Amino acid sequence: VFVVNDIRVTGGYYRYYPLDYKYKYLEIVKDQIDYQAKKNKKDLDDEIFNFKNSGQFLRSFYKKGDEFKINLNKLKEMNISYIVSKYELKSKSLKKICEKCEEINDINLYYIK
């Protein structure tokens, strides 16, 4: 929906993107992947393998109730100012703009401070 409305996004489902972009994105989510691997490594192995070795789906690896480990500094380096999430995120570096935006239960908007 965002891309169709000419809103630039960093993650999501893409048919084509440069390989170097995948590696930049991996830097953003690496700490979240490491956090998940420590919690429940077995379930995550296939997801990480698919992310690194194939796939058009760039995801955060954040799961409801987890600690938020996304590298916000890397996002800011890419001129990213906002995060849209279906989950409530808790970080001192995020400012909640809208919870359940437009009364849609799984859309929350955050500004990266």
Side-chain angles (χ1 to χ4, degrees):
V1 172
F2 292 107
V3 174
V4 171
N5 288 291
D6 202 27
I7 298 171
R8 294 182 355 174
V9 298
T10 58
Y13 180 80
Y14 297 101
R15 290 191 58 115
Y16 306 104
Y17 54 85
L19 187 57
D20 67 324
Y21 184 79
K22 179 187 270 191
Y23 294 120
K24 284 181 186 178
Y25 193 84
L26 185 56
E27 290 178 28
I28 294 166
V29 298
K30 182 188 178 314
D31 292 340
Q32 195 71 43
I33 289 171
D34 291 346
Y35 170 81
Q36 285 294 340
K38 288 177 186 173
K39 272 184 68 177
N40 197 355
K41 184 171 176 40
K42 193 171 190 173
D43 290 347
L44 196 61
D45 285 344
D46 287 342
E47 292 180 55
I48 294 170
F49 179 84
N50 289 334
F51 175 78
K52 289 182 177 178
N53 298 300
S54 65
Q56 301 140 325
F57 190 52
L58 300 177
R59 53 176 290 214
S60 70
F61 291 91
Y62 178 86
K63 297 185 189 292
K64 185 177 181 177
D66 284 347
E67 290 182 37
F68 184 77
K69 302 282 188 178
I70 303 299
N71 190 326
L72 298 175
N73 291 326
K74 293 285 182 189
L75 286 175
K76 289 189 88 152
E77 287 174 13
M78 295 175 69
N79 294 319
I80 306 300
S81 300
Y82 296 91
I83 294 177
V84 176
S85 175
K86 73 178 192 175
Y87 303 117
E88 183 177 346
L89 305 176
K90 294 181 182 175
S91 171
K92 293 177 184 176
S93 299
L94 293 175
K95 177 182 178 185
K96 188 183 297 184
I97 302 295
C98 177
E99 182 177 356
K100 298 180 182 177
C101 300
E102 300 295 323
E103 298 181 20
I104 301 171
N105 288 334
D106 59 353
I107 299 289
N108 300 292
L109 178 64
Y110 299 88
Y111 174 75
I112 302 170
K113 298 178 188 176

